[in-house]
Amino acid sequence: MGDPSGIGPEIIVKALSDKHISRLANITVIGDYFIIEKSKKDLGLKPEFSLLDLSNVPRNNFSYGQHQPSFGRAAVEYIDRAVTILKKGEADALVTAPINKASVRSAGFNDFEGHTEYLAAKTDTKEFAMMFVGKKLKITLVTRHIALRDVPGAVSIGSVCKTIRLTHEHLIKFFHIADPKIAVAGLNPHAGDSGLFGDEEDKVIIPAIEKASSTIKNIYGPVSADAVFYEALKGKFDAIVAMYHDQALAPFKTLYFRSGVNLTLGLPFIRTSPDHGTAFDIAGKGIADPASIKE
């Protein structure tokens, strides 16, 4: 259920109150009974679902929208229990509600980067990537949550090639696209314009495309980032490999702010999440939108 103090419990209760959603699978919520029941009462909803209660949220003076080590620790414990269940083969897929990185780190998880990296470490997954999925747009990231100034150094032949491979593999595996067409975005304006605006395209991205093309067909690029998303929307490409977070998420969230889904590629199970955070500013107010977690 994510951070107890965020909107995770609320959007779960709202989503599972929709019979169309609750009937899709045998759904078990991993969380805290006190918080889930509070959400039901606050919202005036009575969805019925299986709850694995870890009873790990302090009840004294609980309030929404708070950075607390105890809340961060609870959120990690939900993830850990989920991974244990998945490793035993007792579940087929995982949907994670939002967590707060500051709360998790304050609980002693000093190197915590996010769900994606944590789940990869817990499952000993070496190659993984973050893909955002909308109705007409799929984007995989080469780099994730790092400072913009660190992006050029993190964009390597290996990282770009790996992301292309994972994207190709999962377009076939998850979306049943037999012969995927993948566009690789440039890092610089106009994809570098033959070195006029940077040389990462010539030194890194083109060699990575050439390397991946030895085993994968239909890789295009580098394509200027100011055009590639429009072209993908028109059906020219099945997915885009983007170089950094906001290059991908600015156009994606403009189009799919309510319905976008975050999908982790490379794990031994399907893991999805809504494409938003804990929204502490509106937590507990009953106005959180469950559209993304429904998707």
Side-chain angles (χ1 to χ4, degrees):
M1 72 173 198
D3 192 296
S5 194
I7 63 170
E10 177 182 336
I11 59 175
I12 287 171
V13 169
K14 285 180 174 178
L16 296 183
S17 295
D18 182 339
K19 291 290 195 293
H20 173 70
I21 301 299
S22 63
R23 290 171 179 164
L24 288 174
N26 295 320
I27 297 170
T28 296
V29 175
I30 303 176
D32 185 288
Y33 177 82
F34 163 67
I35 298 297
I36 292 294
E37 287 302 306
K38 177 175 174 55
S39 292
K40 288 182 181 180
K41 183 178 179 181
D42 291 346
L43 296 167
L45 297 172
K46 298 181 179 179
E48 294 183 2
F49 51 79
S50 173
L51 173 67
L52 177 55
D53 176 25
L54 299 195
S55 298
N56 56 359
V57 178
R59 301 187 181 191
N60 295 334
N61 300 317
F62 172 82
S63 60
Y64 290 108
Q66 299 295 316
H67 292 90
Q68 295 287 350
S70 61
F71 298 157
R73 188 175 303 108
V76 172
E77 288 173 358
Y78 305 141
I79 303 168
D80 289 345
R81 182 63 64 89
V83 171
T84 298
I85 291 169
L86 286 155
K87 283 183 175 180
K88 291 180 178 178
E90 296 172 354
D92 299 302
L94 171 64
V95 181
T96 58
I99 56 175
N100 185 276
K101 294 182 181 67
S103 292
V104 171
R105 289 193 176 192
S106 70
F109 299 90
N110 298 323
D111 298 326
F112 189 87
E113 295 181 56
H115 268 121
T116 301
E117 294 80 8
Y118 188 77
L119 287 166
K122 295 291 286 188
T123 57
D124 198 29
T125 299
K126 303 303 181 187
E127 292 200 343
F128 56 93
M130 181 184 289
M131 174 185 276
F132 288 87
V133 181
K135 188 175 182 179
K136 293 185 178 181
L137 197 60
K138 299 176 182 68
I139 312 172
T140 314
L141 305 186
V142 173
T143 65
R144 291 179 295 278
H145 298 113
I146 62 174
L148 188 58
R149 65 176 175 270
D150 297 329
V151 169
V155 174
S156 65
I157 293 174
S159 65
V160 175
C161 192
K162 175 204 73 174
T163 308
I164 294 171
R165 288 200 314 269
L166 285 167
T167 302
H168 180 267
E169 175 188 340
H170 288 84
L171 287 173
I172 297 170
K173 182 178 179 181
F174 287 163
F175 300 100
H176 311 295
I177 300 172
D179 196 15
K181 300 183 292 294
I182 300 171
V184 181
L187 173 66
N188 298 297
H190 303 284
D193 207 357
S194 301
L196 187 62
F197 305 129
D199 59 7
E200 285 84 4
E201 284 76 14
D202 290 339
K203 290 186 175 181
V204 176
I205 298 175
I206 291 173
I209 292 171
E210 291 174 346
K211 182 177 179 181
S213 295
S214 65
T215 56
I216 299 171
K217 297 178 181 178
N218 298 327
I219 306 172
Y220 303 88
V223 183
S224 179
D226 63 8
V228 69
F229 301 100
Y230 175 81
E231 292 178 345
L233 280 173
K234 294 300 180 181
K236 187 174 181 179
F237 309 117
D238 296 303
I240 298 165
V241 170
M243 294 301 118
Y244 59 94
H245 185 277
D246 284 12
Q247 183 184 61
L249 271 295
F252 184 83
K253 287 195 174 185
T254 299
L255 292 163
Y256 302 113
F257 193 84
R258 295 184 68 247
S259 61
V261 173
N262 176 11
L263 169 66
T264 305
L265 309 184
L267 296 175
F269 48 80
I270 294 172
R271 177 260 168 164
T272 61
S273 78
D275 69 346
H276 57 71
T278 49
F280 278 173
D281 57 325
I282 62 168
K285 296 181 180 179
I287 59 175
D289 188 345
S292 182
I293 204 161
K294 283 184 177 184
E295 290 293 326

